[in-house]
Amino acid sequence: MGSDQSSGEPDSSIALSVARQVACALLGLAFTLGVPGNLAVVWTVCRRMKAPQPTVLLIVNLAAADLLALLTVPFWIYALTGVWRLGPFVCRTLVWLVNGSMFSSVLIVTLLSAERLVALVRPFQLQRWWHLAGTRRVLVLLWVVALALAAPATLTADPSQCLQRQFSSSQQLVTLLLLETVAGFVGPFTIIAVCSACVRSHLRQLHHPGRRRASRIVTAVVVAFAVCWLPYHLSNGAAVAAELLEASSAELFEWLHYAAEVGHNISAPLAFLASCVNPLLYAFAARRIARAGGLAGLFARMVPSFYSDGAHQVAKQSFGESASGQALGLNSPNPAS
């Protein structure tokens, strides 16, 4: 993901210079915070958990996607400080990797949100069909889709600057930026928002001591996703509007094009901050047990923490209070299995 450039130089070099300094600071912050955190998640699951549950498998893939995106940060900082000298192949490969990893991250967050809702309203059905083999197949498909969605960005990468994008026509710019925004934000955000609203509504019906804390976590998921990604896709919208209005108003076209260019220089690095917070937002759901077993203990307990409210409600409705304890016991996987 990068900024777009379809016409001449911007009106104010000072504003762009400041924007690039802010971008370097945001990228440096994302790299410093995100790489160690995501490495810790991947290392813990791979080395200390022999057979992670499906939810944990989603989280480790989320951490891997975020880590892959963050490992490209030094190249983008280098590109911001001068002319790109690493060649077109390296540029297009990095553009494909960073876009693919970011699409994967967004899609996995969306899948986690949907899983959270199903775990509350259909816990036993989810336990029956959401197994490791099925999760792996879904993840393979998800990565293939993400890398396919990232492929068009390589066709528009400017090999002389790499951060900039060159479009062969206005139609290509409008099509690719709209595809990026719909597939990377509007669609996933709609699903996340609907799932989160349903989860919050469901939690209000459950007289559970931790429902307020869980509601705050669900809200944080939506807020963090919007804060990190909305500015970038608003910049995409400004670029698309500039192209559509070029014939009707030259002055409005210049203003929108300049706003999109400055906006992309700041908002694209801001999107990297999502790679720092994604794993933490879900870890907070089980933070009360973090003292037992560190990250491995937290991840082993995370699945029951998501399922227990829904399982408890279904058990009470179906079997009565005497059977609810047994149902909850069946819904708690063995951390070592």
Side-chain angles (χ1 to χ4, degrees), residues 223-239:
V223 171
F225 183 87
V227 168
C228 291
W229 283 106
L230 182 59
Y232 177 83
H233 292 288
L234 286 177
S235 300
N236 273 1

Side-chain angles (χ1 to χ4, degrees), residues 1 15 100 125 160 164-165 188 220-221 227 230 243 252-253 260 280 287 292 297-298 308 311 313 323 325 333:
M1 301 190 180
Q125 289 86 341
S160 64
Q164 305 293 338
R165 297 173 68 174
V221 172
V227 168
L230 182 59
E243 292 300 318
L252 184 58
F253 164 78
L280 298 177
R287 68 184 184 275
L298 182 145
S308 58
Q313 185 189 46

Side-chain angles (χ1 to χ4, degrees), residues 192-214:
I192 291 172
V194 170
C195 289
S196 299
C198 292
V199 167
R200 287 174 61 86
S201 175
H202 198 78
L203 287 174
R204 289 193 187 98
Q205 301 173 15
L206 298 173
H207 300 289
H208 191 277
R211 68 179 179 86
R212 292 183 180 179
R213 178 169 59 90

